[in-house]
């Protein structure tokens, strides 16, 4: 994306070339100049407006208006589903190589627009510049990965041997075919990658789609949809609605003509959608990617410099608002004091502020209710446990205009709710254990099973990999204890309450989730 030898991923983003910063700074200025406009939804060939709009402001500075977006209703969800249904016959019969070509164009456009898109993303979500650039690039890489899988599998259409018959010839074939209208509902924290990835997968496999972005990230959703449209998708193949999850999101998820859904968000909403999709006249596919309560385990034999770096990066990257964020640390007693000291020192050194600026690594949390959830958690820990670093809201100077909080390391009794419930905030808890065995048992004693990290000796690794109940695991990784998967390198998906399918995004097994098998036998 910039200098020829540099490939941006979440594990290479710590030491980018200088030219990357110059281009990002230029893009920021341009992005700010475009903000504040009103944006329509998109249904079929039409830009659609609702009776009223909502205003979207930056979590960095509430005075900065990003745009006005439509407060879509259940009726708009219905219109969008109808448009997608009408477009389905032609799109599903479009030769798969043509669909791949259009989606490759979408990926290329996203990559081309990486600077403009990531500048907007940084202002809208409060991601730092490297996380923002990373996410937009990840979106392009996910779509390209799905195009590659389509090609590698020859469109998921295979000839099988003829039946061993005499006197007849039976031609046998198995095909994976699209379901129909696919809904994609995305979370605020990865509004490009976790929208563009599933939209790309749904479309390349021949489904048509209705997309709903999170309201906090309506601008990113709009920019992403523009890129798909500019790639040449026929009208109606991809429709885009905005508005509250509890109204238009709910209407979309419960629409009887939606054949399948990819929901990424909280377990609370995801589980209710999964139940709805299992409870109709027949079960419909529901890919629900949900939350995490991800643990890092540190043994007495760990390299503590690596462990501390990896934990801090995963606990506080994007302000702890990643499903993969490290929110629990179990450290063996012999290493506990040193690890605690290192974590506190690294945490105290984190620069928090406007994350579009190169010098700041941490930005604000997304909105007032996220800051309130953080405040409640640290107040509760203050009463029952110990705050080791941070533990407060940040309101000094310009920070007062945004939703800033201090990265926090704390200890709390094991039965405290903060050990159980995802806080989605920059808050990591630490506890001492007698053995790695005990640590793994504690890590697994969670409804969630998304990511996990381990730092320890070579002969401890297999035991960890074998027993840990998580879909994405990392060992001795300073770049991130529990975060930082990249398409093609680390497939990403959760077990238990973290994911409904047991298969990961960016994996070899993902596209078949968007299709159903038809075995065809034709006798001459
Ligand atoms: N497993 C993963 O890959 C993954 C990735 C990113 C985020 N997440 C999870 O997402 C959550 C954070 O994102 P969020 O705060 O946007 O989540 P959320 O559940 O509040 O919202 C997610 C999306 O669902 C919509 N929505 C809300 N209520 C709805 C309803 N009743 N019916 C239909 N749609 C509804 C929202 O508008 C939004 O677009 C965290 O729990 C995080 O762990 C998981
Ligand atoms: N894919 C990201 C997390 C996405 C969820 O929020 C990671 O691997 O850290």
């Amino acid at each position: 994306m910039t200098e020829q030898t540099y490939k941006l991923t979440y594990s290479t983003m710590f030491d980018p070339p200088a030219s990357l910063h110059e281009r990002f700074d230029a893009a920021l200025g341009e992005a700010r100049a475009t903000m504040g406009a009103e944006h329509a939804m998109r249904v079929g060939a039409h830009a659609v407006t609702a009776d009223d709009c909502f205003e979207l402001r930056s979590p960095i500075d509430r005075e900065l208006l990003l745009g006005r977006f439509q407060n879509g209703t259940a009726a708009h969800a219905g219109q969008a589903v109808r448009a997608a249904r009408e477009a389905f016959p032609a799109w599903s019969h479009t030769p798969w190589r043509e669909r791949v070509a259009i989606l490759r164009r979408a990926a290329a456009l996203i990559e081309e627009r990486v600077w403009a898109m990531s500048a907007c993303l940084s202002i809208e979500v409060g991601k730092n510049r490297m996380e923002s650039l990373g996410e937009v690039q990840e979106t392009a890489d996910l779509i390209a990965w799905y195009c590659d899988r389509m090609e590698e599998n020859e469109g998921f259409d295979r000839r099988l041997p003829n039946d061993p018959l005499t006197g007849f010839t039976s031609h046998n074939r198995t095909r994976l075919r699209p379901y129909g209208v696919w809904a994609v509902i995305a979370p605020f924290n990865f509004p490009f990658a976790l929208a563009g990835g599933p939209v790309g997968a749904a479309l390349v496999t021949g489904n048509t789609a209705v997309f709903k972005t999170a309201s906090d990230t309506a601008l990113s959703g709009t920019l992403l949809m523009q890129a798909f449209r500019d790639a040449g998708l026929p009208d109606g193949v991809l429709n885009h609605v905005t508005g509250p999850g509890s109204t238009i999101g709910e209407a979309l998820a419960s629409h009887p003509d939606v054949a399948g859904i990819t929901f990424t968000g909280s377990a609370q909403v995801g589980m209710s959608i999964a139940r709805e999709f299992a409870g109709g006249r027949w079960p419909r596919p529901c890919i629900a990617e949900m939350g995490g309560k991800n643990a890092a385990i540190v043994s007495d034999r760990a390299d503590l410099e690596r462990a501390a770096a990896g934990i801090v990066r995963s606990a506080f990257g994007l302000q702890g608002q990643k499903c993969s964020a490290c929110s629990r640390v179990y450290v063996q007693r012999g290493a506990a004091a040193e690890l605690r000291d290192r974590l506190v020192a690294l945490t105290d050194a984190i620069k928090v502020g406007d994350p579009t600026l190169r010098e700041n690594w941490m930005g604000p949390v997304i909105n007032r209710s996220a800051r309130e959830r953080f405040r409640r958690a640290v107040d509760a820990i203050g009463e029952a446990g110990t705050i080791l670093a941070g533990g407060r809201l940040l309101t000094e100077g310009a920070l007062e205009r945004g939703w800033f909080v201090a990265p926090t390391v704390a200890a709390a009794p094991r039965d405290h709710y903060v050990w159980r419930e995802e806080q989605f905030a920059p808050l990591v808890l630490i506890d001492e254990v007698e053995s790695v065995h005990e640590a793994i048992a504690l890590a697994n004693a969670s409804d969630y099973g998304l990511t996990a990290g381990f730092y320890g000796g070579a002969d401890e690794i297999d035991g960890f990999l074998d027993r840990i109940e998580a879909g994405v695991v990392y060992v001795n990784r300073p770049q991130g204890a529990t975060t930082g998967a990249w398409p093609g390198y680390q497939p990403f998906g959760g077990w238990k309450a973290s994911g409904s399918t047991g298969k990961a995004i960016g994996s070899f097994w993902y596209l078949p989730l968007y299709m159903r098998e038809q075995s065809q036998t034709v006798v001459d």
Side-chain angles (χ1 to χ4, degrees):
M1 62 186 293
T2 165
E3 284 170 11
Q4 268 174 6
T5 51
Y6 182 67
K7 162 75 183 160
L8 177 64
T9 71
Y10 292 128
S11 51
T12 60
M13 68 183 180
F14 304 103
D15 191 19
S19 57
L20 183 147
H21 290 294
E22 287 154 22
R23 290 199 67 178
F24 186 84
D25 284 331
L28 263 181
E30 289 161 23
R32 287 208 172 92
T34 65
M35 296 203 162
E38 181 175 335
H39 300 274
M41 300 182 283
R42 190 84 188 182
V43 175
H46 308 290
V48 172
T49 54
D51 286 347
D52 63 305
C53 285
F54 62 92
E55 282 192 344
L56 183 57
R57 292 173 181 276
S58 170
I60 304 167
D61 179 350
R62 294 187 294 275
E63 285 167 24
L64 177 57
L65 178 68
L66 304 184
R68 292 187 174 78
F69 298 86
Q70 308 302 314
N71 244 328
T73 62
H76 293 112
Q79 286 170 20
V81 171
R82 204 169 318 118
R85 205 179 57 184
E86 284 166 12
F88 178 68
W91 181 247
S92 58
H93 286 94
T94 300
W96 64 265
R97 286 188 180 80
E98 283 177 35
R99 294 200 304 260
V100 165
I102 294 177
L103 285 149
R104 284 207 187 280
R105 267 203 299 284
L109 283 175
I110 291 166
E111 187 157 357
E112 219 173 280
R113 297 175 190 179
V114 67
W115 305 101
M117 286 175 162
S118 55
C120 287
L121 174 61
S122 181
I123 297 169
E124 185 176 49
V125 177
K127 286 190 185 210
N128 71 31
R129 54 179 55 197
M130 295 312 300
E131 295 271 7
S132 300
L133 284 162
E135 186 191 335
V136 178
Q137 183 63 46
E138 182 190 8
T139 313
D141 284 16
L142 277 169
I143 298 168
W145 174 268
Y146 298 139
C147 291
D148 292 346
R149 301 289 74 73
M150 209 61 194
E151 288 173 343
E152 181 181 81
N153 290 283
E154 289 286 324
F156 294 91
D157 183 342
R158 289 200 180 174
R159 291 207 172 283
L160 295 168
N162 297 351
D163 283 333
L165 282 171
T166 49
F168 295 92
T169 306
S170 80
H171 300 276
N172 298 335
R173 179 182 179 194
T174 178
R175 294 177 67 199
L176 293 190
R177 300 184 60 187
Y179 281 92
V181 177
W182 203 274
V184 174
I185 298 184
F188 79 83
N189 65 338
F190 280 79
F192 279 93
L194 299 179
V199 163
L203 298 186
V204 81
T205 49
N207 299 280
T208 52
V210 179
F211 167 62
K212 191 198 101 56
T213 184
S215 297
D216 283 317
T217 52
L219 179 59
S220 296
T222 302
L223 296 176
L224 178 68
M225 290 301 106
Q226 184 70 49
F228 275 108
R229 237 189 350 270
D230 293 347
L233 285 175
D235 291 336
V237 168
L238 176 57
N239 305 277
H240 169 212
V241 294
T242 50
S246 54
T247 55
I248 193 166
E250 164 83 35
L252 187 56
S254 59
H255 198 293
D257 289 341
V258 168
I261 191 166
T262 304
F263 167 84
T264 311
S266 60
Q268 190 197 358
V269 178
M271 288 300 292
S272 77
I273 294 178
R275 283 187 198 102
E276 166 109 33
F277 268 65
R281 284 164 57 214
W282 54 80
R284 290 173 291 162
C286 170
I287 304 173
E289 311 285 1
M290 299 175 281
K293 194 69 197 173
N294 311 296
I297 293 171
V298 183
S299 98
D300 278 346
R301 293 162 54 205
D303 174 333
L304 295 184
E305 187 179 355
R306 277 193 189 197
I311 289 166
V312 164
R313 282 172 171 158
S314 288
F316 304 131
L318 181 51
Q319 298 75 264
Q321 301 171 114
K322 295 184 189 179
C323 53
S324 51
C326 178
S327 54
R328 300 185 286 157
V329 175
Y330 298 111
V331 55
Q332 223 177 332
R333 217 168 289 292
E338 185 182 340
L339 182 72
R340 235 184 336 257
D341 289 350
R342 284 179 181 270
L343 290 179
V344 168
L346 290 176
T347 303
D348 285 342
I350 290 174
K351 293 216 167 12
V352 185
D354 177 347
T356 64
L357 302 177
R358 183 175 176 175
E359 62 267 26
N360 292 325
W361 184 71
M362 241 186 80
V365 292
I366 190 70
N367 54 29
R368 182 190 298 276
S369 73
R371 192 174 68 164
E372 268 310 290
R373 192 170 55 240
F374 169 85
R375 193 188 55 71
R376 274 197 307 277
V378 295
D379 285 355
I381 294 169
E383 284 171 20
T386 314
I387 300 284
L388 300 167
R392 62 196 180 89
L393 309 186
L394 298 177
T395 53
E396 300 84 14
L399 300 188
E400 201 267 328
R401 297 205 298 273
W403 306 118
F404 292 91
V405 305
T408 299
V409 183
R414 278 190 189 164
D415 60 355
H416 200 284
Y417 82 92
V418 287
W419 280 104
R420 250 183 349 268
E421 296 175 16
E422 185 184 44
Q423 298 303 309
F424 230 50
L427 167 61
V428 65
L429 301 165
I430 182 165
D431 198 6
E432 292 181 23
V433 291
E434 293 303 330
S435 65
V436 171
H437 196 271
E438 181 189 4
I440 294 174
L442 286 166
N444 288 344
S446 166
D447 283 353
Y448 293 111
L450 187 49
T451 69
F454 177 70
Y455 297 90
D459 58 351
E460 296 174 309
I461 295 172
D462 283 348
F464 166 77
L465 293 176
D466 190 47
R467 290 187 51 223
I468 194 71
E469 294 171 3
V472 190
V473 298
Y474 301 98
V475 173
N476 291 332
R477 186 172 184 253
Q479 293 82 9
T482 59
T483 51
W486 195 268
Y489 297 88
Q490 290 94 11
F492 188 82
W495 295 4
K496 296 154 73 178
S498 297
S500 65
T501 66
K503 303 291 179 296
I505 66 172
S507 90
F508 294 104
W509 327 118
Y510 187 68
L511 285 191
L513 299 174
Y514 289 81
M515 294 175 283
R516 50 190 171 181
E517 187 157 13
Q518 186 171 62
S519 158
Q520 301 177 341
T521 293
V522 178
V523 180
D524 282 345

